[in-house]
Amino acid sequence: MNKMRNIFLGSAAAFLAAATGAQAADMMTDVKAPREPVYRCDITGFIELPGTDICFKVGGYARLVVAGAEDQWQNLDPSSGFYLVRAIVPDGHSTDDSFIMYGQGRVNFDARTSTEYGTVRAFVELQATDNDTRSGGSAILRHAFVQFGNWTFGKTWSTFLHLDSSATTTDPYVIVGDNFMRRNQIRYTQSFGSGWSVSVAIEDQNYNFPTATTAAGVWLPFFAPAANDRNEGPDVVANIRVQGDWGNAQLSGAIHNNQFRDAGWTDSEIGWAALFGLVINTPTIGEGDFFSFKAIYTDGASQYNQDLIGTNNVVWGDCTPFLVGFTDCILDTVQSWSLLANFTHNWTPTFASTIGGGYGRVEFPKTAFAPFQPLSGFAVDTKVDLWQVYLDFAWTPVPRTTFQFDITYGNIDFNGSRLGVNLTPFPAVIAQDDGAFSAAFQVTRSF
């Protein structure tokens, strides 16, 4: 009897031990299960944030720039060395330093998640530049946007731009015919296969604070120069793009509403802009070689070609009751056009050169009616021609480290015009053209 009882108790104990062990195993499995990764990040250069479904990347660069120019080439931004052809002072001398050095740092954060709606992405990029303090250079916001499937919300490159056809130069230069606009927007992009896509956006209409230039002659404004009035409509911007092994091409358009006022008078005028950009790969010449071309035209929307001569969009005239019956406050729009072409050749896998140039014209119809204009001393209708050529060399001895040098020549021609007011930084009377050389050396280490 005792023997049977011992056998029974032993069997029961074994059963309970087995059951307890199985339950413990289940408990271990239950504890470990939530810790198992539920998402795998397979995007090159990204890492998975532990415990999340986010692919994350930190990028940026550190950079030194050394640049110099002839003394008639005014430096528009001494803190970072921003040389534009429109800042060349004919037969004059700039008081800015003709030699500059500055350090620059950029950092960006990219977070992405794959969802049933497509990729959801957040991107932020900051940059700081400093040349003359122990610790300085305020951080500026370059990009801050959210992508939700086909939608983009936030500040980033304008839908109008075709960056692939932009010039390849060091940081201090924006070559004539180029444009770099980053602004707040809501954009939708749809792909159609075979490399075709269409993007449509509404973008911040007050980008770079568009201005009005003052008329001359009979319609010289009686009151103060015009200022921006309340503008309740965003810019509408769109592009159509095609891309393939041969390269890519893009056609862009934009519509902008100009709204200005002076002492009690308001007027508005619709402006528009168009762009065509093209990149053609030329592997028969060299691996990685390509030719690029860009053309921009603006009418009352100079911010889409802003680096020619600022963002004057319209010509503002007299709005008093004495003349309002003969003319609107806005007499005309400011027109501009430009062409830019570049060719990049890779001599070796680590050494490349780019040659390019741009040409542009800006027209200010400042005098609608001025029969005695040659004797008046007021500004005449102004046509400004600008052109620029450059040669750039880039050496990348190790990945992500580039030594770059370029030399550029720019020329501005005012065609004997008298500019009057509202076209800083130029003096009131300019009747000649002039050119100047500039060169820059740059070292960049990206990460």
Side-chain angles (χ1 to χ4, degrees):
M1 182 70 180
N2 290 335
K3 184 176 180 179
M4 293 296 295
R5 185 176 63 182
N6 291 338
I7 293 173
F8 175 78
L9 291 174
S11 299
F15 174 79
L16 290 173
T20 303
Q23 184 179 14
D26 289 341
M27 290 180 64
M28 291 292 291
T29 301
D30 290 343
V31 171
K32 286 184 176 180
R35 297 180 183 176
E36 290 295 324
V38 296
Y39 183 73
R40 287 291 183 268
C41 182
D42 57 0
I43 307 175
T44 302
F46 285 71
I47 61 172
E48 179 187 341
L49 291 183
T52 74
D53 59 357
I54 297 175
C55 286
F56 188 73
K57 180 182 179 181
V58 178
Y61 65 66
R63 170 180 289 171
L64 173 70
V65 177
V66 181
E70 294 186 85
D71 63 357
Q72 68 267 42
W73 201 329
Q74 186 179 18
N75 178 359
L76 293 185
D77 186 357
S79 67
S80 62
F82 199 29
Y83 288 109
L84 296 175
V85 171
R86 65 184 174 95
I88 295 175
V89 181
D91 198 26
H93 299 279
S94 168
T95 59
D96 295 329
D97 292 342
S98 57
F99 177 84
I100 58 172
M101 300 177 67
Y102 61 89
Q104 188 175 84
R106 182 181 298 177
V107 62
N108 56 62
F109 308 93
D110 195 343
R112 307 183 188 187
T113 301
S114 294
T115 73
E116 59 183 306
Y117 300 98
T119 299
V120 177
R121 180 189 186 197
F123 185 88
V124 176
E125 184 172 82
L126 304 172
Q127 177 177 296
T129 302
D130 188 50
N131 75 329
D132 57 3
T133 59
R134 179 181 301 176
S135 299
S138 299
I140 59 173
L141 181 65
R142 287 174 51 87
H143 298 272
F145 62 86
V146 173
Q147 286 182 312
F148 186 84
N150 293 358
W151 292 89
T152 301
F153 306 88
K155 181 180 182 179
T156 188
W157 299 112
S158 171
T159 310
F160 184 79
L161 300 183
H162 185 247
L163 297 175
D164 294 341
S165 58
S166 292
T168 302
T169 64
T170 52
D171 185 68
Y173 304 107
V174 177
I175 302 300
V176 170
D178 225 341
N179 190 11
F180 299 95
M181 301 171 65
R182 293 182 297 271
R183 60 181 182 178
N184 297 302
Q185 60 192 272
I186 300 175
R187 180 198 304 171
Y188 180 81
T189 301
Q190 180 64 56
S191 298
F192 296 99
S194 300
W196 288 89
S197 66
V198 171
S199 296
V200 180
I202 54 173
E203 301 186 0
D204 185 1
Q205 74 279 4
N206 205 34
Y207 169 81
N208 217 21
F209 204 70
T211 56
T213 186
T214 303
V218 173
W219 277 277
L220 181 69
F222 183 80
F223 294 107
N228 266 315
D229 196 16
R230 184 176 64 190
N231 196 335
E232 298 175 344
D235 285 13
V236 179
V237 187
N239 73 53
I240 181 169
R241 179 184 174 94
V242 60
Q243 185 161 345
D245 294 337
W246 55 271
N248 66 76
Q250 180 176 312
L251 182 65
S252 305
I255 298 176
H256 171 77
N257 179 40
N258 293 289
Q259 190 79 32
F260 292 97
R261 60 175 172 80
D262 62 10
W265 301 92
T266 65
D267 200 2
S268 63
E269 186 76 24
I270 296 295
W272 62 278
L275 174 149
F276 174 71
L278 175 69
V279 172
I280 299 177
N281 297 325
T282 56
T284 55
I285 300 176
E287 184 177 355
D289 292 7
F290 65 92
F291 168 81
S292 64
F293 173 81
K294 182 183 299 182
I296 300 176
Y297 180 84
T298 71
D299 187 345
S302 299
Q303 60 268 43
Y304 292 93
N305 209 357
Q306 69 180 67
D307 291 318
L308 284 182
I309 297 190
T311 55
N312 287 282
N313 280 356
V314 300
V315 178
W316 187 264
D318 186 45
C319 294
T320 65
F322 305 106
L323 291 174
V324 74
F326 299 98
T327 182
D328 295 326
C329 299
I330 295 178
L331 301 181
D332 211 334
T333 53
V334 176
Q335 299 91 40
S336 75
W337 61 267
S338 63
L339 304 172
L340 173 66
N342 315 277
F343 178 72
T344 295
H345 176 62
N346 291 273
W347 299 91
T348 72
T350 61
F351 184 76
S353 64
T354 301
I355 186 171
Y359 184 91
R361 166 170 280 202
V362 184
E363 298 185 4
F364 301 85
K366 296 172 69 68
T367 54
F369 176 67
F372 303 107
Q373 190 61 45
L375 304 177
S376 67
F378 290 110
V380 299
D381 289 348
T382 301
K383 297 179 181 179
V384 182
D385 294 309
L386 310 94
W387 61 270
Q388 188 173 12
V389 292
Y390 75 95
L391 180 61
D392 176 89
F393 299 96
W395 179 48
T396 307
V398 296
R400 299 180 297 278
T401 300
T402 300
F403 296 82
Q404 199 168 349
F405 172 79
D406 54 31
I407 184 169
T408 179
Y409 178 83
N411 183 277
I412 187 167
D413 187 354
F414 291 92
N415 298 297
S417 302
R418 294 174 179 268
L419 286 179
V421 296
N422 281 7
L423 285 179
T424 58
F426 312 113
V429 178
I430 296 179
Q432 62 264 76
D433 68 291
D434 204 354
F437 282 95
S438 179
F441 172 71
Q442 175 176 290
V443 181
T444 304
R445 172 65 176 178
S446 60
F447 57 88

